[in-house]
Amino acid sequence: MMENTVKLFYEDAFMAEFDATVLSCEPYKDGYKAVLDRTAFFPEGGGQYGDTGYLDEIRVTDTKEKDGVIFHIIDAPIEAGKSAHGKLDWEKRFDRMQQHSGEHIVSGIVHHRFGYNNVGFHLADDYCTMDFNGPITKEQLLEIENEANQAIFQNFPVNVLYPAKEELHELDYRSKIEIEGQVRIIEIPGVDLCACCAPHVAYTGQIGLIKLVGMANYKGGERIHMLSGARALADYQRKHQSVKQISALLCEKEEKIAEGVERLKTEQSGLKLELASMQKERLQYKAAEVEVGDGAVCVFDEKLVGDDLREIVNLLLERGASVCGAFGGTDQDGYRYVIGSKTEDVRLLNQKLKEKFGARGGGKPEMVQGSLTGTEMEIKALF
């Protein structure tokens, strides 16, 4: 029977390199799985992905655990019985420690303030979410964020406790599942007490910063998106660069870009109304220039888009056209069209457009719309 792997990450969460003996190596899916007598690679668990890195020069793509035995998923075989030097992708591991310890702080604050439980936690390489079983307002979210960062600034120790069964019953700790055997408790004094199997930072100050970047209603509660440490810094740097660029474009001070955007939005709304009025006037002039007789009237203008087509058709029908077609586009790019009549079933004409030009579209007896590819001369000839 294989012995349990010694978990060096519990002895020292900051151990980035170590030496071990390979106990076994077997084929596994598209690669291999190696078992060591000791490891600093944390296996997947507690909402956190398994560590990656190297065993000598062999890539470790994931780490998993079953029945106390930790399997290192590697992309090449390694000889059983030999010594191997393990090296973690430390930047990734430390990032996860920052996120996970940050989650404990936020979850502890939410639990103390509102009595809500963290019922879902997911830590990926680009985002971290926490699900709470109760509502949280935007104002409360800001208060939680401020309190969480105060816990960082005070640089509390992050303690690891292994209480005896008798002591465990007296502790008011958070836990989402029933745990058999020895319970590992992460304590941040005055902030949180929670059962957890993952490695954490040694002091809250090592988290650096917590930023709660979003929230959404989720299953009657609240899902919060969090960035901690280096992720929060990178997010700030990206947004600061955007602010500087927007500030330059608006010729506004950085702290006043929201006011600048609001002013620009108001100006844009005014210009849209003015443009719509001018376009309506243009259509009226254009319709007045069209000679209306007893037959079908055909209007072509590459500037006609959207509701313009319907508008000019209605104007010409009001002037007495029996059938009117408006086409917006070019011979090269094709045309969008609207055809209308107060006396004829224009679906018959639309059917001819389909047969002649492969037109796509339809509508009611009094008006149809669609698109086709053809030339202005050919379309006029059909009308």
Side-chain angles (χ1 to χ4, degrees):
M1 181 177 178
M2 192 174 294
E3 295 181 2
N4 289 0
T5 306
V6 176
K7 300 174 180 179
L8 299 175
F9 48 82
Y10 282 163
E11 297 177 10
D12 180 3
F14 284 78
M15 184 181 293
E17 298 187 39
F18 65 99
D19 292 303
T21 300
V22 180
L23 298 180
S24 68
C25 183
E26 302 172 359
Y28 180 79
K29 296 184 178 179
D30 295 331
Y32 299 83
K33 61 178 183 180
V35 178
L36 309 178
D37 65 336
R38 58 206 298 267
T39 186
F41 285 86
F42 175 72
E44 181 179 4
Q48 183 170 318
Y49 290 153
D51 282 333
T52 59
Y54 291 89
L55 286 178
D56 291 337
E57 302 302 319
I58 298 173
R59 184 68 180 155
V60 178
T61 58
D62 199 0
T63 312
K64 298 180 181 295
E65 180 177 14
K66 184 177 181 181
D67 300 327
V69 179
I70 296 177
F71 299 93
H72 304 77
I73 312 306
I74 54 180
D75 57 14
I78 188 168
E79 184 181 345
K82 71 167 289 189
S83 281
H85 183 72
K87 184 176 181 180
L88 279 64
D89 289 329
W90 177 249
E91 187 174 330
K92 182 184 290 186
R93 154 68 93 77
F94 185 64
D95 166 74
R96 291 172 178 174
M97 288 164 61
Q98 287 183 315
Q99 310 311 313
H100 206 147
S101 297
E103 177 270 322
H104 275 239
I105 290 175
V106 173
S107 294
I109 291 169
V110 170
H111 185 69
H112 284 306
R113 287 189 57 157
F114 307 105
Y116 302 156
N117 291 316
N118 181 332
V119 294
F121 167 59
H122 189 72
L123 172 54
D125 287 336
D126 56 350
Y127 69 92
C128 176
T129 61
M130 298 162 283
D131 299 332
F132 296 102
N133 58 351
I136 295 171
T137 66
K138 291 181 180 179
E139 293 74 19
Q140 291 168 337
L141 189 72
L142 183 59
E143 293 171 1
I144 293 165
E145 179 180 278
N146 288 335
E147 190 173 339
N149 281 290
Q150 284 299 320
I152 290 175
F153 302 154
Q154 294 182 60
N155 201 27
F156 292 129
V158 179
N159 301 318
V160 180
L161 310 177
Y162 293 93
K165 284 187 178 181
E166 312 79 61
E167 298 174 295
L168 194 63
H169 292 306
E170 298 176 2
L171 293 178
D172 182 19
Y173 67 97
R174 297 187 301 110
S175 179
K176 292 191 289 287
I177 59 172
E178 287 292 329
I179 303 172
E180 295 183 5
Q182 178 65 63
V183 177
R184 182 175 183 264
I185 300 288
I186 299 298
E187 178 198 42
I188 303 174
V191 180
D192 190 40
L193 194 66
C194 181
C196 183
C197 64
H200 287 265
V201 297
Y203 292 89
T204 58
Q206 293 167 332
I207 300 170
L209 176 68
I210 288 176
K211 182 62 185 173
L212 304 181
V213 294
M215 60 189 301
N217 293 332
Y218 183 74
K219 295 184 178 180
E222 212 73 42
R223 169 166 286 180
I224 293 177
H225 291 253
M226 179 192 73
L227 298 173
S228 295
R231 294 190 194 186
L233 176 61
D235 181 65
Y236 178 82
Q237 290 170 335
R238 284 192 300 269
K239 290 174 179 175
H240 182 61
Q241 185 61 33
S242 294
V243 166
K244 292 182 75 68
Q245 291 173 349
I246 295 169
S247 172
L249 290 170
L250 293 175
C251 296
E252 285 281 7
K253 293 181 178 179
E254 291 179 15
E255 63 270 21
K256 291 188 175 182
I257 61 169
E259 297 172 22
V261 172
E262 186 64 37
R263 185 186 66 251
L264 197 64
K265 186 178 178 182
T266 301
E267 291 174 359
Q268 183 188 44
S269 297
L271 289 171
K272 279 185 177 180
L273 289 173
E274 185 179 346
L275 182 62
S277 177
M278 293 173 64
Q279 178 68 346
K280 187 173 183 178
E281 188 175 342
R282 188 182 82 86
L283 292 175
Q284 289 171 342
Y285 279 121
K286 187 171 186 64
E289 293 172 352
V290 177
E291 187 176 337
V292 176
D294 295 334
V297 176
C298 215
V299 179
F300 285 80
D301 188 335
E302 63 179 291
K303 294 181 180 179
L304 292 175
V305 294
D307 292 338
D308 296 347
L309 296 165
R310 186 183 298 270
E311 180 72 18
I312 200 165
V313 166
N314 286 331
L315 287 170
L316 290 168
L317 292 177
E318 288 296 325
R319 288 188 54 211
S322 60
V323 176
C324 178
F327 294 80
T330 63
D331 289 356
Q332 293 75 29
D333 299 330
Y335 291 93
R336 299 284 303 175
Y337 66 85
V338 171
I339 304 171
S341 175
K342 293 185 177 182
T343 59
E344 307 291 334
D345 186 346
V346 293
R347 292 178 299 180
L348 302 177
L349 183 53
N350 195 53
Q351 184 59 37
K352 291 183 180 181
L353 292 175
K354 289 183 178 181
E355 295 168 0
K356 175 77 174 174
F357 304 107
R360 302 183 64 173
K364 299 179 180 179
E366 63 273 14
M367 188 168 283
V368 295
Q369 62 182 4
S371 61
L372 57 76
T373 301
T375 68
E376 180 177 341
M377 186 177 296
E378 291 172 331
I379 298 167
K380 283 182 175 178
L382 185 143
F383 264 71

